[in-house]
Amino acid sequence: MLTEQDIDQCLKMLDGIYSLSEPERLERIDKFVKSTLSITPDIYSPKNLKYLFSYPDPIGVFADFVSNYINSNIHTEECSPIFTRCEVEMVETLLPLVGYPEGDGIFYPGGTLSNLASVFLAVQRAKVNLGQSVILVSEHSHYSISKAAKICGIQHIINVKTSTKGVVDREHLRELVSKIKADNLNLIYFACVLGSTTLGTFDPVEEILEIFQEFAIQPWIHLDAAWGGGVYFSEDAAFSRKLSSLSDSIVLDFHKFLSAPLLCSVLLVKDKSVLVDEVIAHNPNSPFNSNQNRKYSLSIKSLQCSREAYAFKLWLMFKHHGLEHFQNLIQKYYKNRKEFRKQLSDRVLYVVEPQYFNLCFWFIPEEMEVKETITDYTAAEIDKIDQLNLAIYDQVVQDDFIKVSSSSFNNLPAFIRIIVHHGNLTTDIISEIVAYLYKIYESFG
């Protein structure tokens, strides 16, 4: 098990190396790199099922190396004639996949900045007093949404409760919208979560929009599919495109569900006119002069000026593998989930029925009956369930045989979370992991 002492020893390897000879410095750096590799969690292992990112696609890694070696700023055509075109082509490829055939998009270094950009666009479109503006944020939304609202100067940030199914509580949402309307405030933005971080659940987009229609309000509708974007490459892609056609923007993190190297995120918008900042585009002091093709002056669409070749990684992956490869990859992850669900069923209660690549469950103590829902247990029983699952997780951490998460939700007992989107995960490895978990469970029986 990793300790603070291990980390300190690794970092101290480079203390004072500037005084050594060149060969000695390189030797010390070599030892430091090897130590860092040994300490950092191994994302290449199919038994590492803890994170929303997995081992990177080798073609994407190569693309990342190439773009970093070239070290060009992807903000104008003049500075980066190839990488800017790769990004535009990649956006044009993605738009029909998500149901925005007439839209536009821009790549960002992660979902946090993409979400910030979506809130900024909502504020720009609303053109109302920020003191009277409201953003509703569901309790299972990513924390970057609330941060983005604060950065943009929104004073009224209101949390919407999450139901026991891990999605927006529609009755609470209706109550809040009614109050906002009665208080003469302006609801300018709402983010529907497509694939929540903890449970992998999907908000009911159509039913949420019905509530807004009921009160005759039209906030900017953002789909946070940073994690759940794999659905656009699944067998249910047509249904997902239908939902996103009802929205204004969507974020997808390809370093999560398609295993592009970190970081590779895109913000797509349905209305192509909203992305370009015309003030900056026509500023005589800006780098976007009339001699350049505005289509490839990407920073006039972005919150950033200096930009890396985020899209190039995905672009080269698509060129090498083709779309069908990624569709097959997503289907493999669903099969992983199905296999886990089949084998991990005895003495187990799932927090929610798995919808995506998250498996969240409680082991139920042997002396208890496995009931329909966690709320069917008494307070004393819930406390025992909590203690058992925390003990199991602590043992998993200590053994370091697999990596999974422990989490909680709506003040319910701690549960185990497994993320199944690892390309090297096989049925045999799944069987090995499940057998290991049951062995620990039985040791606490």
Side-chain angles (χ1 to χ4, degrees):
M1 201 166 98
L2 183 65
T3 66
E4 286 291 329
Q5 186 178 5
D6 296 326
I7 298 170
D8 289 341
Q9 286 178 349
C10 177
L11 293 172
K12 287 177 181 177
M13 285 183 184
L14 300 187
D15 285 355
I17 68 166
Y18 54 83
S19 63
L20 302 176
S21 67
E22 182 70 9
E24 288 176 311
R25 274 181 280 172
L26 292 176
E27 182 181 356
R28 192 78 67 85
I29 289 172
D30 179 63
K31 289 180 179 178
F32 168 76
V33 170
K34 289 176 179 176
S35 178
T36 300
L37 286 171
S38 69
I39 286 174
T40 305
D42 181 11
I43 60 169
Y44 292 86
S45 169
K47 294 177 183 176
N48 188 340
L49 305 176
K50 183 172 185 175
Y51 308 110
L52 301 191
F53 58 93
S54 181
Y55 72 96
D57 184 293
I59 298 299
V61 172
F62 175 72
D64 203 21
F65 168 79
V66 170
S67 63
N68 278 299
Y69 177 78
I70 293 173
N71 199 37
S72 182
N73 187 359
I74 321 303
H75 71 319
T76 63
E77 177 188 31
E78 180 272 331
C79 192
S80 189
I82 298 299
F83 291 150
T84 53
R85 279 168 167 77
C86 292
E87 180 160 344
V88 169
E89 182 182 321
M90 196 67 247
V91 166
E92 290 173 346
T93 299
L94 294 171
L95 288 169
L97 288 177
V98 303
Y100 289 171
E102 303 299 324
D104 200 357
I106 190 75
F107 273 74
Y108 278 110
T112 293
L113 206 54
S114 294
N115 283 335
L116 171 58
S118 73
V119 175
F120 174 76
L121 292 174
V123 170
Q124 293 290 100
R125 186 181 76 172
K127 296 179 181 178
V128 294
N129 184 343
L130 289 180
Q132 297 295 309
S133 299
V134 178
I135 284 183
L136 291 177
V137 181
S138 76
E139 290 179 345
H140 73 147
S141 290
H142 194 267
Y143 61 84
S144 62
I145 300 287
S146 295
K147 277 190 174 183
K150 292 174 183 176
I151 291 170
C152 291
I154 305 298
Q155 298 178 20
H156 303 282
I157 305 168
I158 303 174
N159 289 330
V160 186
K161 292 178 182 177
T162 303
S163 73
T164 55
K165 294 183 178 180
V167 298
V168 165
D169 185 321
R170 296 191 294 281
E171 287 309 309
H172 188 231
L173 176 62
R174 180 176 282 104
E175 291 172 15
L176 292 175
V177 173
S178 178
K179 189 174 187 309
I180 290 168
K181 191 85 169 177
D183 292 343
N184 291 317
L185 297 173
N186 298 300
L187 177 60
I188 66 169
Y189 180 97
F190 184 81
C192 296
V193 180
L194 301 189
S196 61
T197 299
T198 301
L199 299 175
T201 48
F202 290 68
D203 279 335
V205 177
E206 292 174 305
E207 294 171 28
I208 288 171
L209 293 183
E210 286 174 4
I211 294 173
F212 296 143
Q213 292 167 2
E214 178 184 333
F215 291 91
I217 56 175
Q218 292 183 308
W220 182 283
I221 302 298
H222 177 63
L223 302 185
D224 186 353
W227 171 226
V231 294
Y232 294 99
F233 298 84
S234 72
E235 294 176 347
D236 296 326
F239 175 73
S240 300
R241 282 194 294 272
K242 176 188 173 186
L243 291 183
S244 52
S245 69
L246 305 173
S247 66
D248 296 291
S249 61
I250 182 170
V251 57
L252 305 165
D253 280 4
F254 299 102
H255 57 263
K256 293 177 180 174
F257 57 87
L258 288 192
S259 294
L262 290 159
L263 293 159
C264 185
S265 175
V266 71
L267 174 70
L268 302 173
V269 294
K270 184 164 64 176
D271 179 358
K272 65 170 59 179
S273 69
V274 302
L275 269 190
V276 174
D277 190 321
E278 295 294 344
V279 175
I280 295 176
H282 294 99
N283 186 330
N285 296 319
S286 75
F288 316 110
N289 59 60
S290 58
N291 295 326
Q292 297 186 53
N293 189 335
R294 238 172 65 149
K295 181 177 182 180
Y296 304 111
S297 294
L298 300 184
S299 282
I300 61 176
K301 303 177 185 180
S302 175
L303 298 178
Q304 301 169 273
C305 177
S306 297
R307 307 175 67 250
E308 294 184 26
Y310 314 116
F312 180 60
K313 293 174 278 193
L314 188 66
W315 181 86
L316 197 61
M317 287 164 59
F318 264 70
K319 290 293 183 183
H320 180 268
H321 297 303
L323 176 61
E324 187 177 353
H325 165 83
F326 297 108
Q327 292 170 331
N328 292 337
L329 192 65
I330 294 299
Q331 285 309 116
K332 173 178 170 55
Y333 299 156
Y334 279 114
K335 288 178 181 177
N336 288 345
R337 184 193 76 186
K338 184 177 180 181
E339 185 62 32
F340 256 115
R341 184 71 177 82
K342 182 177 76 173
Q343 294 195 35
L344 198 57
S345 57
D346 186 37
R347 307 300 306 164
V348 162
L349 175 62
Y350 281 85
V351 182
V352 295
E353 188 59 32
Q355 299 178 34
Y356 195 51
F357 308 143
N358 309 46
L359 288 169
C360 301
F361 56 90
W362 294 284
F363 281 105
I364 303 301
E366 289 185 354
E367 70 272 17
M368 294 184 195
E369 177 189 354
V370 179
K371 299 183 179 180
E372 287 292 321
T373 66
I374 195 68
T375 54
D376 292 333
Y377 294 95
T378 66
E381 288 173 329
I382 284 177
D383 187 55
K384 286 184 179 180
I385 293 170
D386 183 70
Q387 291 178 29
L388 171 63
N389 285 274
L390 285 173
I392 290 173
Y393 178 71
D394 287 345
Q395 188 63 52
V396 167
V397 172
Q398 185 174 331
D399 293 346
D400 200 27
F401 176 70
I402 61 171
K403 288 193 180 298
V404 297
S405 299
S406 174
S407 192
S408 59
F409 161 69
N410 276 12
N411 297 316
L412 296 174
F415 55 81
I416 308 295
R417 187 193 74 169
I418 293 176
I419 303 296
V420 302
H421 80 312
H422 201 293
N424 291 336
L425 197 59
T426 64
T427 300
D428 287 343
I429 294 173
I430 291 172
S431 299
E432 191 178 354
I433 291 170
V434 171
Y436 165 74
L437 288 172
Y438 275 118
K439 182 180 178 181
I440 295 178
Y441 168 73
E442 289 166 3
S443 72
F444 288 104

